[in-house]
Amino acid sequence: MTDSSRDTPEGAGWGSAERGDYRDLMPQRTEKLSWLSPRTLWSARNGVLASWFGDPTGRTRERWVAQRAAAGAPADKVIRRTDPDRFSFLVIGDTGEGDDPQYAVVPGLLKEGADTRFAVLASDVIYPVGSADDYGTKFFRPYRDYRAPVYAIPGNHDWYEDLAGFMRVFCDDAPPLPPAPAPRALTRSWLRSLLWHRPRPDDGARLDEARKLRADAAQQAEQPGPYWAIDAGPVRIVGIDTGLLGTVDAAQGAWLREVSAGSRPKILVTGSPLYVDGEHRPCPIEGGGTVDDVVRDPAHHYVAAIGGDIHNYQRYPVDVDGRTVQYVVAGGGGAFMHATHTIPRVSVAGVTEDDFRSYPLRGDSLAFYSALYGRRLRLRRLFTLTQDEATAVIAERLGIRTGRAPGTGARVTRRTRLVAGLLGTARRPERRKRFRLPVRRIYTQLFSPSSATYSPPFFKSFLRLDVTPEAVRLRCCAATGNRAQEVDPPVEDEVTIPLV
Ligand SMILES: [Fe+2]
């Protein structure tokens, strides 16, 4: 097995490694998605509008579900597969940027996924706004050689055009919804509808051509709607749709409680992870209760809850009344990397640093961002930290034993402390924060990885789950963009979850 980032810096993809073959899979020209461009920001405005003027997602989702029901989709929204008792599947989160980091995941994914029965895309299938015409370069092309069905749940980005592209691709070519009745003038929803971003009238003209890339019978999948359950072998996988703002509508909440009943072991897949960045985010259900209440209920037999949305890997094994539920963040499947060095020393729901896992390691995340900001601010000599310097300063600031020991001779200096602080590195709880550069939240909006970051290591990842009647083995496999990790993707984390 190849070294992982926990073993050596080379395992993390640092050093003068040879680049992998993933670029051969890419289209000749890719449009670099710039999150800074006014056009991108303006077209992705519906999330902001929903938080200002009320969120119409729940109502729109109900209309989609009604349309699917009228077309004959099963009322319980359960996909009944005929997988054997022992089988494997993939989970890939936040894929669709269509650039180097997304394609860099593909060779390892094809290798690890060769014997898997299906894959699940966990939210944000298409950036920036889920347009049907983006599915060619951001879905069909990258996964054209994956020989099994792909199911998906939408993320907030897929909702920026009312989910129309997602519904066409994953739900049997669902036709556009008829226009909603016009809201009363001068109300909040009227104002919202005036400003609302909608798909271009000709969106999807290129979709038929793109579909030819995954036209094999073995690759076809059909979903009853944006949320669903899959009965596969001994487990039930439950996929929910948390829309624009990370919430669940009442009708979906009622369905979730229904499909969660019973003794079959369950795995939740969501676009809003329930434990993330050292915090518990239980995800409210309209009308009362939370998604995490459903997961924790012993009558429901959940063993894991996997969420996209945040573009890295994190795992929190939480003790729930004597059972361990694995809460996983798995959004590292393609889009730019979210920092892990901003995660404070973990202490949540009984989970401590000793039990917590992340990929990238915090030191690698800090080294990655220090190089990125060094380039952006044209202060490379001041900013850029080696992975050893970054790891050493992380160990000091958080007071933790790092996943990989810093190399001998890595010193913590005033410069490395300053850079770590400016880049938002978490501190021990007893030492509170000062000024930080916007690394995580604002990063998405203001800074896009410039062309200079379209070179390895990318710190991308996907999950492989091996199911038997007795246990589920969950592994986080890494993709760096280098050949060594393409040929043999390192396992960054592995846990076996007993089912009996
Ligand atoms: Fe995302």
Side-chain angles (χ1 to χ4, degrees):
M1 212 159 54
T2 36
D3 280 354
S4 77
S5 74
R6 296 185 163 259
D7 302 314
T8 59
E10 292 71 32
W14 298 114
S16 53
E18 191 188 348
R19 195 192 281 250
D21 285 336
Y22 70 85
R23 285 195 149 181
D24 299 345
L25 308 171
M26 295 178 68
Q28 295 273 311
R29 259 188 65 242
T30 58
E31 211 181 307
K32 297 267 180 263
L33 184 54
S34 170
W35 293 99
L36 189 58
S37 97
R39 241 183 80 199
T40 310
L41 289 174
W42 181 239
S43 66
R45 65 188 175 270
N46 286 2
V48 176
L49 294 175
S51 59
W52 287 353
F53 300 115
D55 181 7
T57 306
R59 182 74 199 96
T60 310
R61 187 186 293 116
E62 279 174 26
R63 295 174 67 216
W64 280 122
V65 168
Q67 189 211 64
R68 292 292 295 144
D76 62 2
K77 302 171 188 62
V78 178
I79 301 163
R80 291 182 172 82
R81 293 181 48 89
T82 51
D83 300 298
D85 264 3
R86 293 163 191 275
F87 75 97
S88 303
F89 69 101
L90 300 176
V91 177
I92 321 160
D94 297 76
T95 49
E97 245 178 39
D99 264 317
D100 289 56
Q102 179 178 13
Y103 280 87
V105 176
V106 174
L109 181 151
L110 292 177
K111 186 154 186 297
E112 282 295 318
D115 62 340
T116 54
R117 303 278 299 193
F118 58 89
V120 176
L121 296 190
S123 80
D124 289 347
V125 181
I126 300 293
Y127 293 96
V129 295
S131 305
D133 276 337
D134 280 347
Y135 272 84
T137 50
K138 300 173 181 178
F139 174 75
F140 288 105
R141 186 181 180 109
Y143 311 121
R144 65 180 168 180
D145 293 326
Y146 180 66
R147 311 313 298 172
V150 177
Y151 304 95
I153 53 160
N156 55 327
H157 287 271
D158 300 300
W159 268 100
Y160 285 154
E161 291 188 347
D162 295 325
L163 208 64
F166 181 98
M167 294 299 295
R168 283 192 68 178
V169 170
F170 294 104
C171 299
D172 194 26
D173 213 6
L177 289 175
R184 257 190 320 129
L186 305 175
T187 58
R188 270 172 18 127
S189 36
W190 174 78
L191 211 51
R192 184 183 65 213
S193 77
L194 287 185
L195 297 169
W196 200 248
H197 171 76
R198 294 179 177 83
R200 282 199 327 263
D202 64 338
D203 183 42
R206 298 200 298 264
L207 195 52
D208 287 339
E209 193 58 32
R211 283 189 212 263
K212 291 181 187 160
L213 295 169
R214 277 183 58 83
D216 264 26
Q219 294 175 310
Q220 304 314 307
E222 193 184 302
Q223 296 181 192
Y227 56 91
W228 42 256
I230 298 173
D231 281 353
V235 297
R236 172 171 282 186
I237 304 158
V238 179
I240 60 171
D241 167 14
T242 57
L244 278 174
L245 300 181
T247 57
V248 167
D249 61 289
Q252 183 180 187
W255 166 87
L256 174 64
R257 291 183 177 107
E258 236 164 76
V259 291
S260 298
S263 61
R264 195 190 254 269
K266 290 175 195 80
I267 298 169
L268 183 81
V269 181
T270 170
S272 302
L274 301 173
Y275 282 89
V276 59
D277 296 345
E279 288 171 14
H280 182 211
R281 298 191 196 152
C283 190
I285 297 175
E286 185 193 356
T290 68
V291 171
D292 198 35
D293 292 342
V294 176
V295 169
R296 295 172 66 93
D297 188 331
H300 293 162
H301 299 273
Y302 276 92
V303 296
I306 302 171
D309 187 44
I310 299 301
H311 305 172
N312 52 45
Y313 173 83
Q314 303 173 34
R315 180 167 65 82
Y316 303 82
V318 175
D319 180 274
V320 178
D321 307 322
R323 301 174 300 130
T324 302
V325 177
Q326 300 290 340
Y327 289 87
V328 176
V329 176
F336 68 89
M337 188 252 280
H338 277 134
T340 57
H341 64 269
T342 51
I343 303 173
R345 189 165 72 194
V346 169
S347 175
V348 62
V351 179
T352 66
E353 237 359 94
D354 291 339
D355 317 309
F356 168 69
R357 289 290 178 277
S358 81
Y359 177 74
L361 293 169
R362 289 185 182 93
D364 289 332
S365 165
L366 178 58
F368 176 96
Y369 272 86
S370 75
L372 175 69
Y373 274 82
R375 283 192 299 269
R376 286 200 168 274
L377 303 171
R378 299 185 194 286
L379 292 168
R380 282 176 213 236
R381 289 206 18 224
L382 170 69
F383 256 80
T384 308
L385 305 182
T386 67
Q387 68 275 7
D388 281 340
E389 288 170 334
T391 303
V393 76
I394 288 284
E396 181 191 87
R397 279 180 68 106
L398 278 95
I400 60 167
R401 217 181 62 194
T402 49
R404 184 177 77 239
T408 46
R411 285 181 39 241
V412 180
T413 63
R414 272 162 68 185
R415 179 183 76 94
T416 61
R417 285 194 190 110
L418 173 72
V419 172
L422 286 171
L423 291 176
T425 309
R427 309 193 114 216
R428 301 173 196 220
E430 57 275 18
R431 301 185 198 164
R432 277 298 147 208
K433 59 195 168 195
R434 281 177 287 173
F435 171 73
R436 308 169 163 188
L437 288 176
V439 174
R440 201 171 76 72
R441 297 240 161 94
I442 301 176
Y443 179 81
T444 2
Q445 285 154 29
L446 292 188
F447 293 87
S448 89
S450 67
S451 55
T453 60
Y454 286 90
S455 57
F458 295 121
F459 299 104
K460 305 318 301 170
S461 59
F462 60 92
L463 307 185
R464 177 185 162 115
L465 290 92
D466 303 306
V467 179
T468 71
E470 298 81 40
V472 175
R473 182 177 69 170
L474 180 153
R475 286 188 294 175
C476 168
C477 306
T480 64
N482 292 333
R483 184 182 305 278
Q485 289 85 29
E486 270 190 359
V487 173
D488 192 3
V491 176
E492 288 291 337
D493 185 34
E494 172 170 336
V495 63
T496 298
I497 309 166
L499 296 186
V500 280

